[in-house]
Amino acid sequence: MAHVEQRTPENPGVPGGVRQVEHLPFHEPVLAAVRVVAQGLALVAAALGVVGLIGWIVGSDLLRTVLPDAGASMMPNTALALPLLGFALVVAVRGPAARWPAPAARAAAGLVVLIGALTLVEYVAGVSLGIDQVLFGPTAGGVTAAPGRMASNTAAALLLLGLASLSALLPRVPAWTGQILGLGAVSLGMVRIYGFAYHVPQLERFGAYAGMALHTALAVVLLGVAAFLARPGEGPAGLLWNAGTTGALGRRLMLTTLIAPLLLGWLVLAGESDGLYGPRMATALLVCGHVVVFSVVTFAALVTGRRIEVAHARAEWQVRQNELLQAFMDHTPAVVFIKDLSGRYLAVNTVFEESIGLSRGQVLGRRDRDVMAPELARHARAADLEMLESGRPVQRQERLTLPIGTRDYLTSLFPLKDPSGSPYAICGVTTDVTERVAAQREVERVNRRFLALLESAPDATVITDADGTIVMANAQVERLFGHAPAGLVGRSVVDLVPGRMRARHKALLLRYLATREPRPMVLDQGLYGLHGDGGVFPVEVSVSCSRGAYDTLVFLTARDISERRQIEEERAERYEQQRRVAYTLQHSLMGEPSPLPYLPSAHRYLASVQDPGVGGDWFDVIPLGGRRTGVVIGDVMGRGLEAAAVMGQLRAASHALARTGIEPCHLMSGLDAFVGDLADQLVTCLYLVIDQDAHEVTLCSAGHLPVVVLPAEGHAHRLAAPVGVPLGVNDLCGDSVPYRATTLPLRPGSTLALYTDGLVERPGTDIDAQIDILTDTLGALLADGQADAEMLDRAAAKLVETLIPETTAHDDDVTLLLLGIPRTDRGPVRTGPRGDAP
């Protein structure tokens, strides 16, 4: 099969101006035969020219005229041009194979064009250029007005044939150019032949010039046909010689066109010559004959055209189906191929081309051994034969080595059967599963590692789904629960829990899974396991969750904590004993001040939960004689027994110094010297002296928090007093900072609140804001009431509740002391020898 490529300049988007490629079916033997015929016609025409040239050389009129009654003779230049044209066309018909004679052929054709063109110039201009007598003398063609000059129609025919030969010799020139020129030359020759056949001398020449010789006309026709057939697979000749129905129809119409008018004209003239009818009847009969002939040809063409339409529609449908099938195959990511039973490829897709590195044109019509490595080709053919022998589709996975590398493929082979059920082709679909196989291998490797990790875990581990059904368990489960791992798969995880506790355990699991993002947790409170022999034991369970796109897995790791529970119980018992001892020690060190009838008070003390009930906070209420009372509150930095011991010493020292009647600032200096003798200790302390007779209070602070006062009439606020450095700082700094005291009025009915930082200091909160809460709460609780002991006690409880919502979780000592100044003035109070109130 061959094809014709039509080039048009209208499509700028395609390189080279190729607009479309029209494929015409050709039989190569037919084209080869046409080329042989074209070469034969060119050689015959060249032979006629050689004969005429010989006639001029030897002076033979017979060779120059051929037929005595044929009229004009072949002129020398014509006799020379015909062999040149024959040679040029023979070379053109041979095509690209004839490379070396191509320049000579183009030169020959160019010389003929020059001869024909100059001769026509002589006729048109009425001049003689001397080219007519170059070969022979002035006697040549003495019968003409211009001796030796060829006829004007001959010169035109030679010009057309020369140009047609040049077009056939130049591949870049479209084929239709030379073919149309050749047909023009054929028309000039046929006019001369028709004139001879119908005895019309006027058709031999143009005007009064010499006419074309009969054998020259024959040579012109032969050369014109040869020029038309020089490239039989292209242009109009390609339409005529294609192997399809249009080619057959065109050949029939062309044959009818060439023969029917000639025969009809000859018959009509013969009847007219015999006197059967006159010229008018002859013309009518000629027209009628043409109508009949072409009517028959038309209906024959219609029948052929209808067949062509039906065949074309079928072909279009089949082509569309083939295009759809090919498009489906090309858009399939798998390798798809179709072979006949002998193994020749009938169709492949683009993925197939990419996989073997060959184009579709290099594959179709060939067998496996022509396009694949020998070993791979044998393997593919053996698979085809095995499938055909079984008669059933087969599927296999294999690893193949291709030009693109080693890949894993999943191949499906199945036969294509005709309506009778007999296979006529083999179809194969090969999918590249390299990534999937690699992923499967990776999954298997990960599974092996996961199982090894699961089995190496020291604790019993079970994996359940979202419903609590066990899907996997390790070997340690049997040691802990007494059940084989395989026997637990499919059972509920709550089967490993005592019966009375299963509902609670399941509720805990469901509550855990109900959270939006479950986090790993460890639970060890109230969880128990059930051994296969019925034994119950406490367990610690670590739970985590893995949520995928399709399922949820819960990982439960259980550990027997019976021994731990026993140790914890023993430790808790020892801790409680130590706590009771420490608590007793704390209260013995802190003491419990005696209530004073003229100074109601209430206090709260909370020890830190992080220590065994002891700390460094203390307070003391010291009678100083009359209605003067010393009040001290302090906080030793740190917690535990060491802070409690320091606190006990400071409480004793401050009590002793206060009983001497020492000024508050001197008492604070003495305590500072005392703390300086202790290693690495810091203490905040506040000492104040309440004089109810003078209605005033004198206080001195060593870094302690401010006193909050609620006047008899007014709002609660902080007492403005200078604050010195904490006790022990002077010793650390080396420079002594004196402590200063201040005296402020204190009206009857007022309430004082003294406290340590454990009451108002919390992580993440502002201590000033907490003191403000204490102040506001105190004002709200005691705004309208008499500050007696009972009311102060309730207020102390409410203040602790407000500032410390969770008293069981505080991490610092808390001390709160409330003092109420009675409104009634009872006069002086007598004192004993030691200044004690009576």
Side-chain angles (χ1 to χ4, degrees), residues 177-248:
T177 303
Q179 292 171 355
I180 291 177
L181 294 173
L183 292 178
V186 170
S187 300
L188 293 174
M190 290 301 297
V191 168
R192 173 65 179 90
I193 293 174
Y194 286 158
F196 175 78
Y198 297 140
H199 304 288
V200 183
Q202 293 82 357
L203 298 179
E204 296 180 8
R205 63 182 62 86
F206 294 157
Y209 303 106
M212 182 186 295
L214 182 62
H215 53 306
T216 299
L218 179 61
V220 167
V221 171
L222 296 178
L223 289 172
V225 174
F228 182 78
L229 300 178
R231 290 156 72 173
E234 304 176 49
L239 298 175
L240 189 64
W241 293 106
N242 74 85
T245 53
T246 56

Side-chain angles (χ1 to χ4, degrees), residues 51-73:
V51 170
L53 193 60
I54 292 174
W56 281 100
I57 294 174
V58 300
S60 172
D61 290 336
L62 178 62
L63 296 179
R64 289 184 296 202
T65 307
V66 180
L67 295 177
D69 56 350
S73 300

Side-chain angles (χ1 to χ4, degrees), residues 2 51 122 146 159 298 403 419 424 426 462 466-467 494 496 523 540 563 655 671 704 706:
V51 170
E122 288 180 330
L159 177 62
T298 299
Y424 66 88
I426 303 167
V462 295
D467 297 327
V494 296
L496 302 177
L523 304 175
E540 176 189 84
E563 184 177 352
H655 190 89
L671 292 178
H704 203 76

Side-chain angles (χ1 to χ4, degrees), residues 393-751:
V394 297
Q395 188 178 67
R396 66 183 188 276
Q397 182 175 321
E398 54 196 351
R399 171 164 284 196
L400 303 177
T401 301
L402 301 174
I404 61 175
T406 301
R407 311 288 292 177
D408 291 296
Y409 287 95
L410 179 64
T411 302
S412 298
L413 290 175
F414 52 91
L416 300 179
K417 299 181 179 180
D418 57 21
S420 65
S422 300
Y424 66 88
I426 303 167
C427 184
V429 179
T430 301
T431 305
D432 189 343
V433 294
T434 304
E435 287 75 14
R436 186 171 69 186
V437 171
Q440 290 176 347
R441 292 172 181 160
E442 180 64 19
V443 168
E444 293 174 356
R445 185 179 68 86
V446 171
N447 285 341
R448 289 194 298 268
R449 293 177 60 184
F450 173 73
L451 291 176
L453 180 63
L454 183 65
E455 293 300 331
S456 63
D459 298 323
T461 304
V462 295
I463 302 175
T464 73
D465 58 16
D467 297 327
T469 303
I470 298 175
V471 297
M472 189 178 296
N474 65 352
Q476 283 69 25
V477 170
E478 185 173 7
R479 175 183 58 81
L480 185 62
F481 293 98
H483 297 281
L488 289 176
V489 175
R491 295 177 58 181
S492 177
V493 70
V494 296
D495 292 345
L496 302 177
V497 177
R500 68 181 185 277
M501 302 178 182
R502 290 178 181 176
R504 177 176 179 271
H505 283 63
K506 188 169 185 178
L508 289 174
L509 179 60
L510 294 177
R511 187 185 306 168
Y512 173 76
L513 293 176
T515 57
R516 178 174 298 179
E517 295 182 359
R519 296 182 178 180
M521 298 177 60
V522 178
L523 304 175
D524 60 355
Q525 298 296 323
L527 300 181
Y528 293 87
L530 177 65
H531 196 272
D533 59 4
V536 178
F537 52 92
V539 293
E540 176 189 84
V541 177
S542 299
V543 58
S544 60
C545 177
S546 174
R547 286 180 173 171
Y550 303 102
D551 57 0
T552 299
L553 295 179
V554 182
F555 299 84
L556 299 169
T557 301
R559 177 181 299 175
D560 186 351
I561 58 173
S562 299
E563 184 177 352
R564 186 202 301 176
R565 282 283 185 264
Q566 183 179 359
I567 295 174
E568 289 176 351
E569 291 174 0
E570 295 175 355
R571 183 184 302 164
E573 184 178 356
R574 290 196 301 268
Y575 177 81
E576 185 60 27
Q577 293 176 354
Q578 295 175 0
R579 189 175 183 279
R580 285 196 299 268
V581 172
Y583 187 77
T584 303
L585 177 61
Q586 173 77 18
H587 278 269
S588 66
L589 292 175
M590 179 180 288
E592 187 75 22
S594 301
L596 301 177
Y598 56 87
L599 187 64
S601 66
H603 68 273
R604 289 290 187 274
Y605 174 78
L606 300 177
S608 170
V609 296
Q610 297 184 356
D611 298 290
V614 293
D617 289 5
W618 90 95
F619 72 93
D620 198 0
V621 179
I622 309 165
L624 299 180
R627 289 200 299 174
R628 294 179 69 251
T629 306
V631 181
V632 62
I633 187 169
D635 184 3
V636 178
M637 300 300 177
R639 290 188 293 268
L641 293 175
E642 183 179 358
V646 174
M647 176 271 293
Q649 298 177 59
L650 286 174
R651 183 178 185 277
S654 62
H655 190 89
L657 289 173
R659 292 300 296 265
T660 64
I662 193 172
E663 293 295 329
C665 56
H666 296 156
L667 181 143
M668 203 62 67
S669 299
L671 292 178
D672 182 51
F674 181 84
V675 173
D677 294 335
L678 303 176
D680 299 329
Q681 293 294 333
L682 289 177
V683 180
T684 65
C685 185
L686 175 68
Y687 178 64
L688 57 85
V689 176
I690 301 173
D691 190 342
Q692 293 177 246
D693 293 332
H695 305 300
E696 61 183 16
V697 59
T698 302
L699 68 157
C700 182
S701 175
H704 203 76
L705 297 173
V707 177
V708 175
V709 60
L710 176 61
E713 295 178 0
H715 300 287
H717 61 274
R718 307 179 195 182
L719 281 180
V723 180
V725 298
L727 303 180
V729 171
N730 284 325
D731 183 67
L732 294 175
C733 298
D735 296 330
S736 178
V737 179
Y739 293 98
R740 292 182 301 161
T742 185
T743 300
L744 301 172
L746 183 63
R747 298 179 61 187
S750 300
T751 301

Side-chain angles (χ1 to χ4, degrees), residues 287-354:
V287 172
C288 187
H290 278 85
V291 170
V292 172
V293 170
F294 283 105
S295 296
V296 173
V297 172
T298 299
F299 282 104
L302 290 175
V303 173
T304 304
R306 179 57 183 168
R307 293 175 181 174
I308 292 173
E309 288 179 354
V310 174
H312 182 68
R314 292 176 180 174
E316 280 187 343
W317 183 87
Q318 188 62 47
V319 168
R320 181 57 179 165
Q321 298 302 310
N322 292 341
E323 289 177 350
L324 292 175
L325 176 60
Q326 188 64 51
F328 169 77
M329 293 171 57
D330 288 339
H331 288 84
T332 301
V335 174
V336 182
F337 59 86
I338 301 176
K339 307 177 187 176
D340 61 15
L341 299 182
S342 61
R344 292 185 178 88
Y345 285 98
L346 303 177
V348 297
N349 66 345
T350 54
V351 181
F352 184 96
E353 300 177 61
E354 296 171 358

Side-chain angles (χ1 to χ4, degrees), residues 605-608 614-617 638-639 756-759 811-815:
Y605 174 78
L606 300 177
S608 170
V614 293
D617 289 5
R639 290 188 293 268
T756 60
D757 59 359
L759 182 66
D811 58 354
D812 197 3
D813 302 337
V814 176
T815 299

